[in-house]
Amino acid sequence: MALQILLNGAKGRMGQTIAGLAGEVGVIIRAGLDVGDDLAAHIARCDVIIDFSSHQATARVLEVATKHRKAVVIGTTGHSAADKKRLLALAAKVPCVWAGNFSVGVNLLFALTQRAASVLGADYDAEVVEMHHRFKKDAPSGTAARLLEIILEERKLDAGALRHGRSGITGERKSTEVGVHALRGGDVVGDHTVLFATLGERLELTHKASDRAIFARGALRAANWVVKQKPGVYDMQDVLGLK
Ligand code: NAD
């Protein structure tokens, strides 16, 4: 039988894109919910929750999923580090795919960034630049946050090393800094560049999304995959078999 989906954030940009692709992918949006709707009233008829809404909704989504033992796909971004840690512990009680970016290209960018950070070492200054549409509510993006995490892990640095933009007399750049810059404007779906610069050369790894259907297809693929998994938190690298 076709997968029955509870879609949270159904009236949003991603929600509408996912609903538009459901027929093509062969799944059914059993319930399309948005702010103010009651998840618990619709969960029984669904196999999986897909959430692209607000970071404030994630606790409730996971509470309902764990109570009713349903799989869940979280695409929402913007959680604080402390909130995310608490939410991941809850998410691990059910099969859950949690990904800041569902595109195949970006998941390859994650792998390439790790390789570049490892080969190039601390003498190559690392900076992440992202650009999104003017309506985006959080910054830096979930994808930029993951790219930064990868660089910090590889360089054995903590979040104190991050420089969110620069202004004024900042002094010379320290080799332990990792810069991050969030541009906002127009209808940009999502651009990410990771730069590694040293004296004499610079490497730039860039991904540009031009259609949010890539995220929607990835989220639907994750939904089909996660319902067959044991409880635990997975990412898109697991879904794509990139690990
Ligand atoms: P959007 O603002 O267009 O849509 C969000 C929708 O969620 C709105 O309809 C809003 O009414 C609804 N909403 C808000 N609070 C809610 C609540 N408590 N319960 C239910 N619905 C609620 O935003 P968007 O561009 O569709 O993005 C949604 C989220 O997905 C953002 O966090 C964004 O960063 C993220 N996103 C993730 C990926 C990915 O690949 N992981 C890709 C694109 C966007």
Side-chain angles (χ1 to χ4, degrees):
M1 202 172 89
L3 194 71
Q4 310 280 312
I5 293 172
L6 188 160
L7 178 60
N8 198 43
K11 291 186 183 154
R13 278 173 290 266
M14 278 305 298
Q16 291 185 42
T17 311
I18 290 170
L21 284 169
E24 185 189 304
V25 175
V27 300
I28 292 169
I29 306 297
R30 175 59 61 194
L33 306 186
D34 208 274
V35 67
D37 292 333
D38 181 10
L39 286 153
H42 297 87
I43 187 72
R45 299 176 295 145
C46 302
D47 305 309
V48 57
I49 303 175
I50 299 184
D51 179 64
F52 281 84
S53 60
S54 154
H55 65 97
Q56 288 160 327
T58 312
R60 178 68 183 148
V61 167
L62 293 174
E63 196 183 307
V64 171
T66 50
K67 185 164 177 216
H68 295 264
R69 295 177 186 279
K70 300 288 181 176
V72 57
V73 173
I74 303 283
T76 302
T77 65
H79 309 89
S80 69
D83 279 355
K84 187 153 179 194
K85 197 171 167 201
R86 191 172 46 79
L87 293 165
L88 283 173
L90 193 55
K93 295 181 179 173
V94 291
C96 171
V97 174
W98 189 316
N101 195 305
F102 282 89
S103 100
V104 176
V106 158
N107 281 278
L108 186 57
L109 175 66
F110 291 152
L112 295 173
T113 297
Q114 184 173 27
R115 178 97 178 105
S118 138
V119 170
L120 296 175
D123 190 44
Y124 284 73
D125 303 326
E127 304 260 323
V128 173
V129 184
E130 58 105 327
M131 179 159 187
H132 283 83
H133 52 85
R134 62 166 71 145
F135 307 106
K136 186 161 176 63
K137 297 181 184 73
D138 56 310
S141 68
T143 306
R146 179 66 195 127
L147 289 165
L148 293 163
E149 231 173 61
I150 291 168
I151 296 165
L152 293 179
E153 271 167 33
E154 205 55 54
R155 297 203 165 170
K156 305 199 175 8
L157 296 168
D158 61 29
L162 297 179
R163 286 287 160 274
H164 292 270
R166 292 186 181 83
S167 144
I169 312 298
T170 58
E172 289 184 9
R173 189 189 192 288
K174 295 191 194 73
S175 64
T176 49
E177 284 179 18
V178 180
V180 47
H181 313 274
L183 317 183
R184 292 290 174 268
D187 59 358
V188 175
V189 174
D191 294 356
H192 292 88
T193 296
V194 185
L195 292 103
F196 293 94
T198 191
L199 303 181
E201 68 174 353
R202 168 167 105 234
L203 174 70
E204 297 184 9
L205 302 172
T206 294
H207 177 271
K208 294 189 179 191
S210 49
D211 187 338
R212 50 179 62 79
I214 57 163
F215 309 128
R217 279 210 176 79
L220 288 167
R221 184 165 167 175
N224 264 316
W225 181 89
V226 76
V227 291
K228 297 176 210 123
Q229 307 306 316
K230 292 192 201 120
V233 180
Y234 305 91
D235 61 20
M236 209 45 197
Q237 315 256 322
D238 294 305
V239 177
L240 297 170
L242 286 174
K243 280 188 174 159

